Amino acid sequence: MKGNSPIMRSRVLPLLVWIFGLLVVWEAVSWMLLHVAKTPLAQSKLPYVHEVATTLWKYSGTLLREGGATFGNAGIGFLIGAAAGVLLAVLMSLSRTIEQLAFPYAVASQMIPILGLAPIIYGIVRDEQVSRIIISGYITFFPVALNMLRGLRSVDLSAVELMHSYAAKPWAVYWKLRFPAALPGLFSGLKIAAPLAVTGAILVELMGAQHGIGVIMLRNLYYGPSHTYMFWSTVLVGALLGIASYWLMTLIERLVAPWQPEFRPKGGDR
């Protein structure tokens, strides 16, 4: 049957259908706001898709350059935050005392609104690049630590006892048993944190940085309706950076932990 062909069973075709349908609805609603409802500043509220696409193409060089600056700094902060999260998770899994001491502070750190923390960090550091890295690392740290700790403790106790019965060293238990078991949890945290790290970097750029997609976004927002299409283009580029970071983590997870059910053609057990 044609419905059982590989392309029909793949995830690509449904995704393309959804994207095409969304663009058609967007274009139709934009036309209705402008010509039927005659809404004031209709293009500022929902611009034509084809106009935004034209702007994206026209200024692709600038958007790629500034988007690259945002993505690069967010990536550095993400790696530092992920490394710190993994290290803390390992320490907390080794000692309940360390967990009782560190976990409340880690939770409390997430109570601080990023919208308030970003200008504070930027005011102290006075360096846009370092500020973006710090905020991106700060956002990454907690979800990675929490999911990694949960993964380290998800190991079957009988397997741990079996390794202990063979006099396995603690590092061997972690390297051969706990770390592989924690990979799904670790990547869950990384996939949550990666788009957030990009958002954090953009937020810092809105505070008065010189480079980055957030800078272009703020400038075009300031100029108002005359720069509507460019503003929407920067918003789309920011969203694409977040999606790209998520897909990158998914690709790495597929390469590092291919035994997971969702990566096998028929799912189920190994």
Side-chain angles (χ1 to χ4, degrees):
M1 295 176 63
K2 290 182 180 180
N4 292 329
S5 62
I7 189 170
M8 292 297 290
R9 286 187 279 107
S10 71
R11 299 176 182 178
V12 176
L13 185 58
L15 178 63
L16 292 177
V17 171
W18 271 102
I19 292 175
F20 180 75
L22 177 63
L23 294 179
V24 169
V25 172
W26 182 346
E27 192 81 353
V29 174
S30 178
W31 182 84
M32 290 180 66
L33 287 176
L34 186 62
H35 296 288
V36 178
K38 299 188 184 303
T39 304
L41 301 176
Q43 286 297 282
S44 296
K45 295 173 181 174
L46 193 66
Y48 280 129
V49 174
H50 69 274
E51 293 286 0
V52 176
T54 302
T55 306
L56 277 170
W57 175 258
K58 185 177 180 181
Y59 296 99
S60 58
T62 301
L63 292 171
L64 281 175
R65 184 173 62 253
E66 301 301 333
T70 301
F71 197 76
N73 287 295
I76 296 172
F78 172 78
L79 291 175
I80 295 173
V86 169
L87 177 61
L88 180 63
V90 172
L91 292 176
M92 288 193 296
S93 70
L94 285 169
S95 169
R96 288 285 182 183
T97 303
I98 294 177
E99 180 183 358
Q100 291 172 355
L101 289 174
F103 199 76
Y105 290 104
V107 173
S109 69
Q110 301 304 304
M111 303 299 177
I112 304 173
I114 297 299
L115 192 60
L117 184 63
I120 294 174
I121 297 295
Y122 187 77
I124 294 174
V125 178
R126 306 303 298 176
D127 185 302
E128 61 179 270
Q129 189 168 355
V130 176
S131 300
R132 281 180 289 197
I133 292 172
I134 291 175
I135 290 297
S136 297
Y138 172 82
I139 293 175
T140 302
F141 164 76
F142 186 72
V144 171
L146 184 63
N147 285 279
M148 181 73 182
L149 178 62
R150 184 178 300 171
L152 289 171
R153 290 191 171 155
S154 66
V155 179
D156 188 356
L157 291 179
S158 60
V160 178
E161 291 174 357
L162 178 62
M163 292 199 71
H164 286 164
S165 69
Y166 284 102
K169 301 291 184 183
W171 66 266
V173 175
Y174 270 81
W175 183 251
K176 296 183 178 180
L177 186 62
R178 291 192 184 274
F179 283 145
L183 284 178
L186 171 63
F187 278 102
S188 295
L190 292 175
K191 287 189 286 189
I192 293 172
L196 294 177
V198 174
T199 303
I202 293 176
L203 187 60
V204 173
E205 291 166 357
L206 296 177
M207 304 299 166
Q210 298 298 317
H211 298 286
I213 202 68
V215 177
I216 310 299
M217 186 185 299
L218 184 63
R219 288 175 182 171
N220 288 277
L221 181 63
Y222 176 78
Y223 289 125
S226 62
H227 288 66
T228 292
Y229 300 126
M230 189 61 179
F231 170 74
W232 277 78
S233 299
T234 59
V235 173
L236 288 179
V237 170
L240 290 174
L241 291 177
I243 294 172
S245 65
Y246 178 86
W247 281 353
L248 181 60
M249 288 301 104
T250 302
L251 176 62
I252 296 174
E253 181 184 18
R254 181 184 288 270
L255 295 174
V256 174
W259 61 82
Q260 296 184 69
E262 61 267 30
F263 297 144
R264 295 198 295 274
K266 296 182 180 179
D269 296 333
R270 224 182 299 186

